Amino acid sequence: MGKILEIKIDNFSKEMTDSVRNENHNGFAFAYNFDIPEPSRLVARRSFTAITASNEQIYRFLYTKFKSGATVVYRLYGMGKSVSTADPILYQRELTAAGWTAVTGGEFATGDIEPRVFFYYKNYVYLFQAVNGTTSAVLSRFGDLTGTPSKTEDAVVTDFSGSDIGVVTNVAQPVHHPADDIAYFFMDNKVHKLNNTAWTANALTLPDNLKIVGAAPYGDFLAILCSPIESGTTESFLYLWDRDSSLTTISAKINLGVGDAYHIGSDDNGVFIAMIRKSIADLGEYNTKLVIKYYRGFLIEKEFSSASAAGYFKDILLNGASANQYLNSIMVGSGFYFPATLSTSKDSVKYDVIFKAKMVNGEVILSANTNYPSIAAGQSLNGIFELTGYFFVSYGSTPLTAYNAISSVFSSAAMESMIYSVGDPSNKKDLIGVTVFTEPLIAGASYTLKYRKNAETSWTTIFTESTDDSVSHSSVNIESTGAILGQFKQIQFRVESEGGANITGFSFKVDILSTKPY
């Protein structure tokens, strides 16, 4: 017998890490569908419920007010597209309704839908059509609470400025800045202003090798995120604009380094940015990383390797699984949420997740807050939206919609632990026993503990526990067969939760065997 050690993990405060062999790290390699309300609890989230669909193909959501007869009401609105023409159609939904209904008069007919923009400002909803780089784009609107809501197509910008929008290739979600009550629109490398009904074209023009991919209020500044038009040709940049100066006198230009920027959001203290940093295609894909940055006068950064043979993750996509899918990010309190499609490097399981980034004690923390499991291969999440703690999602190449409000069902959730070598990866260890700790199991709840050793790519089930009110379960063998747990040099565990089993920790005991020849 060698040295006996017991390892206990009951603190998940650091959440996900790319350093999966750092045994002193409070966290895990990967988890989904768990909230972490405090460091010692993984709490299962409610599951998503599909919203009854009738070919709406909705990409994006808004919750705002419109006139219904003589009454102003708040409703959820969706931007869909015509099955036959791909033109935009507005849909509405009462929060207690089963499905969507088309908005009277909310059918547009002058150009293909542009899924990246769906924006509310001063009694109007704004959207783009024909953003394709070949024909004049269309900025359209619907609304006006002073009378019967109606749509205006084609001529919206002409009404404001007397000129066409022109050919546009890239657009980003507009921003209503609270400091001046002005809406800012983004087309290619240009910023335009809408002050109530007064339109100012080209209020700011940025370098033409960049495209604006998003913006967010940052104090009195507008933080504008730019990515290279051609991936790998230049760095991405964050511009801080006082909403008045020109490019030559802009307040700040922050170099974000090589990589493609996708998402931006801001809290009271700083700006979140999500990027993919990758090598030029001809040099291989071994340097690809998901990069989360936070700017608050200086940059704080967290990286996750995401390419074959380079790290725990691979194939992380932030821009959808196909060309016609567009993702958006949202801020919920101090949390920065954005969708992604990924798999881990040891298996081929596809996860469609909503990542959550936040700042904790000066460090960027990341977790996969939600996994939506019903999306086919080659497809992904599209738009995401949050309302009073509930998420609405659009998913698939012909988008369907779902939400996790009023669900009495808990999601299947999982946590994949750090990879443990228990000090010295060259020594063999006997796995003596394992334990999982939980909150008292509610009726119908269960959890399963699995493990994989050394170079294994598949998980072996050790046990499943489903006893009502149970707070822990221990095993010294594979319970289904009675087989011993066996030896390992490095080991990883996976805890799977069903029916609302909330995990508070796990432990394992080993006998360390000296196997060195010296």
Side-chain angles (χ1 to χ4, degrees):
M1 179 179 292
K3 183 179 180 181
I4 305 296
L5 284 179
E6 184 168 12
I7 310 298
K8 183 179 181 181
I9 308 297
D10 59 2
N11 187 326
F12 306 104
S13 60
K14 289 295 185 66
E15 302 190 9
M16 282 171 47
T17 177
D18 203 29
S19 303
V20 295
R21 288 175 172 81
N22 180 359
E23 300 181 50
N24 296 318
H25 190 281
N26 294 327
F28 41 80
F30 180 47
Y32 58 85
N33 288 340
F34 278 125
D35 280 328
I36 308 176
E38 55 194 62
S40 60
R41 298 170 65 213
L42 299 175
V43 177
R45 293 179 58 84
R46 299 283 180 173
S47 66
F48 280 87
T49 300
I51 300 173
T52 303
S54 301
N55 297 319
E56 296 94 355
Q57 299 196 44
I58 290 169
Y59 286 90
R60 298 289 292 272
F61 307 92
L62 282 175
Y63 182 68
T64 189
K65 58 184 178 181
F66 273 116
K67 202 168 189 180
S68 177
T71 306
V72 173
V73 295
Y74 279 82
R75 291 195 181 100
L76 187 71
Y77 288 84
M79 180 178 66
K81 73 173 181 179
S82 166
V83 176
S84 58
T85 66
D87 294 333
I89 302 176
L90 298 184
Y91 291 92
Q92 63 186 14
R93 180 179 181 272
E94 302 288 352
L95 293 182
T96 57
W100 299 92
T101 58
V103 173
T104 302
E107 301 173 11
F108 296 79
T110 56
D112 290 349
I113 190 172
E114 170 44 62
R116 286 172 284 191
V117 170
F118 191 40
F119 177 63
Y120 178 79
Y121 175 66
K122 292 189 179 296
N123 300 333
Y124 290 93
V125 163
Y126 291 84
L127 53 89
F128 279 101
Q129 301 174 77
V131 177
N132 52 31
T134 59
T135 60
S136 288
V138 176
L139 176 59
S140 299
R141 69 182 183 186
F142 178 89
D144 188 1
L145 288 181
T146 62
T148 301
S150 61
K151 67 177 181 289
T152 305
E153 295 186 82
D154 264 334
V156 174
V157 175
T158 302
D159 286 348
F160 296 151
S161 69
S163 62
D164 268 341
I165 241 181
V167 175
V168 175
T169 302
N170 298 287
V171 293
Q173 179 74 352
V175 171
H176 182 183
H177 203 293
D180 58 13
D181 200 27
I182 293 175
Y184 294 86
F185 288 73
F186 311 102
M187 305 174 207
D188 294 327
N189 62 322
K190 296 179 173 62
V191 184
H192 313 274
K193 298 192 331 186
L194 177 59
N195 186 358
N196 198 2
T197 59
W199 177 267
T200 302
N202 303 328
L204 177 67
T205 300
L206 298 174
D208 60 9
N209 64 334
L210 299 173
K211 60 185 177 183
I212 299 171
V213 296
Y218 177 46
D220 288 333
F221 297 108
L222 182 65
I224 305 169
L225 181 62
C226 293
S227 190
I229 292 176
E230 296 293 335
S231 178
T233 56
T234 185
E235 297 88 354
S236 289
F237 292 91
L238 178 68
Y239 290 89
L240 300 184
W241 185 41
D242 62 7
R243 296 165 286 113
D244 186 43
S245 60
S246 67
L247 176 62
T248 57
T249 58
I250 202 163
S251 302
K253 176 184 177 182
I254 298 100
N255 190 327
L256 302 174
V258 174
D260 297 323
Y262 289 95
H263 297 301
I264 184 173
S266 62
D267 62 13
D268 292 339
N269 300 308
V271 179
F272 287 98
I273 297 158
M275 300 175 60
I276 291 291
R277 178 178 294 156
K278 59 184 177 181
S279 58
I280 297 172
D282 290 344
L283 298 178
E285 294 295 331
Y286 293 104
N287 293 320
T288 301
K289 294 182 178 181
L290 167 65
V291 183
I292 311 300
K293 293 178 181 282
Y294 186 77
Y295 178 80
R296 59 177 188 192
F298 55 92
L299 283 172
I300 301 169
E301 183 175 298
K302 178 69 69 69
E303 293 185 348
F304 292 84
S305 296
S306 57
S308 177
Y312 197 75
F313 298 110
K314 67 177 181 181
D315 304 329
I316 292 182
L317 298 173
L318 294 186
N319 60 334
S322 62
N324 67 335
Q325 294 174 309
Y326 299 92
L327 310 181
N328 67 295
S329 60
I330 56 176
M331 291 296 303
V332 182
S334 60
F336 174 50
Y337 293 80
F338 58 96
T341 298
L342 59 87
S343 61
T344 59
S345 58
K346 282 195 171 186
D347 59 41
S348 58
V349 177
K350 180 174 84 83
Y351 298 99
D352 291 284
V353 303
I354 300 174
F355 275 127
K356 176 186 178 182
K358 62 181 181 180
M359 290 296 297
V360 177
N361 297 325
E363 182 180 358
V364 178
I365 299 298
L366 185 69
S367 63
N369 182 266
T370 300
N371 174 51
Y372 193 78
S374 303
I375 305 174
Q379 301 183 19
S380 74
L381 290 163
N382 297 304
I384 63 172
F385 184 72
E386 185 271 346
L387 182 63
T388 63
Y390 299 111
F391 279 93
F392 293 80
V393 298
S394 162
Y395 63 96
S397 58
T398 52
L400 301 173
T401 53
Y403 71 136
N404 64 349
I406 69 175
S407 175
S408 60
V409 179
F410 289 91
S411 294
S412 298
M415 181 276 295
E416 296 179 4
S417 76
M418 309 292 284
I419 297 174
Y420 300 99
S421 59
V422 195
D424 190 336
S426 68
N427 284 330
K428 287 185 178 179
K429 301 96 183 171
D430 273 324
L431 183 57
I432 298 173
V434 292
T435 299
V436 174
F437 315 105
T438 64
E439 294 182 344
L441 293 187
I442 61 176
S446 66
Y447 60 90
T448 298
L449 178 65
K450 301 179 178 181
Y451 72 157
R452 59 187 177 193
K453 300 177 292 184
N454 305 327
E456 293 174 349
T457 58
S458 59
W459 300 95
T460 298
T461 297
I462 300 175
F463 66 79
T464 295
E465 171 62 63
S466 60
T467 305
D468 289 359
D469 299 324
S470 169
V471 295
S472 69
H473 186 94
S474 300
S475 269
V476 295
N477 56 24
I478 305 297
E479 292 192 352
S480 62
T481 64
I484 63 171
L485 296 173
Q487 294 184 345
F488 68 93
K489 288 189 175 181
Q490 63 180 28
I491 194 167
Q492 185 181 22
F493 296 94
R494 177 180 167 101
V495 183
E496 298 175 348
S497 166
E498 297 288 345
N502 297 331
I503 310 303
T504 59
F506 68 95
S507 67
F508 61 101
K509 183 178 285 189
V510 300
D511 182 1
I512 301 175
L513 309 175
S514 179
T515 56
K516 289 192 178 90
Y518 57 89

